[in-house]
Amino acid sequence: MPRTLVIIPALNEEDALPVVLRDLARSVPDHDVLVVDDGSVDGTADAARSGGARVAQLPFHLGIGGGLRTGFRYAVDQGYERAVQFDADGQHDPAEIASLFALLDSGSDLAIGSRFAASERSYRIGHVRSAAMRFLRLAFQVLSGQSFTDTSSGFRAFSRPMLEFFSHNYPVEYMDSVEALLLACYAGFTVTETKVTMRERQAGAPSTRSVRLIYSYLRLLIVMTSSASLRSRARRMAV
Amino acid sequence: MSTRAHVLVLAITVFNLIVILRLVRRRELRAKYSILWVSIGALLVAMAASPRLLDRISLTLGIIYPPATFFLGAITLLFLISIHFSWELSRLEERTRTLAEEVALLRLKLEEAQRHQPAEEKSNEPAP
C-alpha cells in the first residue's frame, strides 16, 4: 500500500479535476488520492471516481478546513505516513510535491510550498490582498517568533505526527491555513517552507470576495490576538 | 406603580411562567433550561407581586430609581444568557461538523468494502 496520501478538497470542480488527477498520476509515484467533495452540486464526485481517486462526500458544505480535517482523519485512520494538501483547480504543480517531501524527509513536520519565496514574482495578486498578506506575515512573525514568506499557502505536506495532531485540531473556519500554521508553531512542530511556482487555474473562479476577505482578516485578527490562549490550547492538545 | 399597571405586569409574568411550565411538561425544554427560566419567572412574579421588594433592593444597592435596578438585572441576565447560547451553538456546530466528517468517511469505507467483495456478499445472501 502506498505510504502517501494526496488530499484534494474540492467544491464544484468537475471541469478541473480530471486534468489535475491525470497530472498527479503522471508525476507522483506511489500514492493514493482522496478527493473530499465538500457538498458540490455538480459531478465532482463522479469526475474524481473516474479519475481513479477515492472520494469522501461530505453531506453538506463545511469549507476547506472541514474538508481537510476529513482528509487528515482518513490518512491517520488508514495508516498513511505522510500526506499532501493539493488544490483541485490545478494551480499547484504536482512536480513540486517532491520538494515538499524532501523537506519532510529532512525532519520537518509541516512543509509549506511558498508562492513568494522566489525572488521573481511568479504569483500575481492585487494590491489590497498583497498589503493584507504582508500585514498577516508581520503579525505572524510577532506572535510566533518565526518568519514565513507565505502563511496562507494551500500547498502543504504533513508528516505522520502532524497529521495526527491536525486530525483532531485542524481549524475549520475560512483562512484555516494561517491558523493551522500558528497552531503547529505553538505546539512545537518543525515547520519549513520552499518556493513553488503556481500555474494558471484550470477552471472555476477564485473563491474569495473582498467583503468576505475583510471579514476573514478581522476574524483572524481576533484569533491571533487571543494567541495566549491559543498557545496553551496547542500545548494541551500536543500532550 | 398604579394598580392597573401592577395587574398588567403580574398578568404578563404569570403568563410567561405558564408557557415555560407547559414546555417543560411536554419535554420540549431541556431540564437545565427549564430550571433557569422557571427561576427567572418566579423572580419576576415575586417582584410584580410586591413592588416594595424592588424598592428595598434598590435602597440597599444605592440605586435611587428602583426601575433602574430591575433593568440592570434584566440586561445583565439576558446578556449572560445570550453568551451562553453562543457558546452552546458553537459547541453544537463543532459536533455537527465532526458528525458530517465521520459520515463522509463511513460512506467511503462502505463503498470500498462493497467494491472489494461484491461476489462474496451475494453468495452470503440466503436463497429465496
Side-chain angles (χ1 to χ4, degrees), chain A residues 80-116:
Chain A
Y80 289 98
E81 279 167 32
R82 55 190 187 181
V84 60
Q85 168 190 351
F86 202 75
D87 247 25
D89 62 11
Q91 280 196 92
H92 297 157
D93 184 354
E96 308 265 23
I97 292 178
S99 54
L100 291 183
F101 282 160
L103 288 180
L104 291 190
D105 288 338
S106 56
S108 291
D109 292 304
L110 175 60
I112 304 168
S114 167
R115 295 160 286 183
F116 309 113

Side-chain angles (χ1 to χ4, degrees), chain A residues 17-95:
Chain A
L17 258 182
V19 186
V20 171
L21 290 175
R22 199 194 58 213
D23 287 358
L24 263 174
R26 263 191 214 149
S27 47
V28 187
D30 197 31
H31 72 281
D32 287 331
V33 178
L34 175 72
V35 171
V36 184
D37 179 5
D38 193 8
S40 299
V41 290
D42 66 355
T44 295
D46 291 330
R49 273 193 206 98
S50 46
R54 290 137 203 253
V55 183
Q57 272 182 286
L58 290 167
F60 42 80
H61 181 67
L62 287 187
I64 288 208
L68 278 175
R69 201 169 70 176
T70 310
F72 297 146
R73 271 207 193 142
Y74 184 78
V76 169
D77 207 41
Q78 303 288 311
Y80 289 98
E81 279 167 32
R82 55 190 187 181
V84 60
Q85 168 190 351
F86 202 75
D87 247 25
D89 62 11
Q91 280 196 92
H92 297 157
D93 184 354

Side-chain angles (χ1 to χ4, degrees), chain B residues 28-91:
Chain B
E28 283 173 32
L29 212 62
R30 287 272 304 276
K32 53 178 176 178
Y33 296 123
S34 67
I35 291 169
L36 173 74
W37 291 114
V38 166
S39 31
I40 289 174
L43 203 70
L44 285 177
V45 171
M47 279 193 183
S50 100
R52 299 278 309 275
L53 188 66
L54 190 62
D55 292 348
R56 227 174 299 153
I57 296 171
S58 307
L59 208 67
T60 320
L61 292 175
I63 298 170
I64 299 159
Y65 183 55
T69 314
F70 176 80
F71 289 127
L72 181 72
I75 290 170
T76 309
L77 209 68
L78 289 175
F79 182 68
L80 288 177
I81 290 172
S82 351
I83 288 183
H84 173 78
F85 283 162
S86 297
W87 173 78
E88 191 111 322
L89 214 58
S90 306
R91 203 177 57 140

Side-chain angles (χ1 to χ4, degrees), chain A:
Chain A
M1 194 183 97
R3 293 155 48 241
T4 304
L5 181 69
V6 179
I7 303 168
I8 307 182
L11 174 65
N12 300 330
E13 296 281 5
E14 65 173 355
D15 297 330
L17 258 182
V19 186
V20 171
L21 290 175
R22 199 194 58 213
D23 287 358
L24 263 174
R26 263 191 214 149
S27 47
V28 187
D30 197 31
H31 72 281
D32 287 331
V33 178
L34 175 72
V35 171
V36 184
D37 179 5
D38 193 8
S40 299
V41 290
D42 66 355
T44 295
D46 291 330
R49 273 193 206 98
S50 46
R54 290 137 203 253
V55 183
Q57 272 182 286
L58 290 167
F60 42 80
H61 181 67
L62 287 187
I64 288 208
L68 278 175
R69 201 169 70 176
T70 310
F72 297 146
R73 271 207 193 142
Y74 184 78
V76 169
D77 207 41
Q78 303 288 311
Y80 289 98
E81 279 167 32
R82 55 190 187 181
V84 60
Q85 168 190 351
F86 202 75
D87 247 25
D89 62 11
Q91 280 196 92
H92 297 157
D93 184 354
E96 308 265 23
I97 292 178
S99 54
L100 291 183
F101 282 160
L103 288 180
L104 291 190
D105 288 338
S106 56
S108 291
D109 292 304
L110 175 60
I112 304 168
S114 167
R115 295 160 286 183
F116 309 113
S119 49
E120 91 267 27
R121 284 285 295 265
S122 56
Y123 185 70
R124 256 174 258 276
I125 50 173
H127 284 299
V128 179
R129 200 160 171 185
S130 143
M133 279 178 146
R134 252 203 314 277
F135 169 74
L136 208 61
R137 201 157 63 215
L138 195 72
F140 194 93
Q141 198 172 346
V142 170
L143 286 172
S144 71
Q146 279 171 279
S147 171
F148 299 100
T149 56
D150 191 354
T151 51
S152 53
S153 165
F155 194 13
R156 296 176 171 185
F158 310 85
S159 71
R160 173 80 195 182
M162 194 78 254
L163 287 173
E164 280 166 7
F165 178 76
F166 277 152
S167 69
H168 297 296
N169 316 306
Y170 199 79
V172 288
E173 276 176 281
Y174 182 66
M175 297 292 278
D176 51 281
S177 45
V178 186
E179 207 179 324
L181 189 56
L182 261 181
L183 279 178
C185 289
Y186 286 160
F189 286 97
T190 313
V191 186
T192 49
E193 64 176 3
T194 180
K195 140 201 135 66
V196 292
T197 43
M198 289 285 140
R199 308 197 295 195
E200 292 294 315
R201 54 174 61 241
Q202 302 290 320
S207 58
T208 47
R209 273 182 315 195
S210 51
V211 177
R212 210 178 145 192
L213 212 61
I214 291 169
Y215 161 77
S216 304
Y217 275 108
L218 280 177
R219 192 191 69 77
L220 206 63
L221 211 61
I222 292 170
V223 169
M224 288 171 90
T225 43
S226 63
S227 60
S229 60
L230 244 180
R231 197 175 300 210
S232 63
R233 193 176 114 206
R235 287 235 180 83
R236 210 167 53 235
M237 289 182 303
V239 172

Side-chain angles (χ1 to χ4, degrees), chain B:
Chain B
M1 213 169 1
S2 71
T3 317
R4 232 188 304 170
H6 195 175
V7 170
L8 182 70
V9 170
L10 198 61
I12 291 173
T13 48
V14 168
F15 175 74
N16 284 344
L17 207 57
I18 290 172
V19 168
I20 295 163
L21 288 176
R22 266 176 68 97
L23 281 175
V24 174
R25 209 186 50 202
R26 289 201 216 143
R27 311 253 161 125
E28 283 173 32
L29 212 62
R30 287 272 304 276
K32 53 178 176 178
Y33 296 123
S34 67
I35 291 169
L36 173 74
W37 291 114
V38 166
S39 31
I40 289 174
L43 203 70
L44 285 177
V45 171
M47 279 193 183
S50 100
R52 299 278 309 275
L53 188 66
L54 190 62
D55 292 348
R56 227 174 299 153
I57 296 171
S58 307
L59 208 67
T60 320
L61 292 175
I63 298 170
I64 299 159
Y65 183 55
T69 314
F70 176 80
F71 289 127
L72 181 72
I75 290 170
T76 309
L77 209 68
L78 289 175
F79 182 68
L80 288 177
I81 290 172
S82 351
I83 288 183
H84 173 78
F85 283 162
S86 297
W87 173 78
E88 191 111 322
L89 214 58
S90 306
R91 203 177 57 140
L92 286 176
E93 200 194 310
E94 174 56 31
R95 289 185 173 186
T96 318
R97 274 177 174 281
T98 308
L99 280 178
E101 290 167 16
E102 290 295 320
V103 166
L105 291 179
L106 282 175
R107 196 150 75 168
L108 172 59
K109 258 182 214 163
L110 189 68
E111 278 170 17
E112 276 175 358
Q114 280 173 344
R115 204 177 318 133
H116 286 145
Q117 335 173 280
E120 202 178 314
E121 216 167 276
K122 267 178 200 135
S123 67
N124 282 346
E125 274 172 25

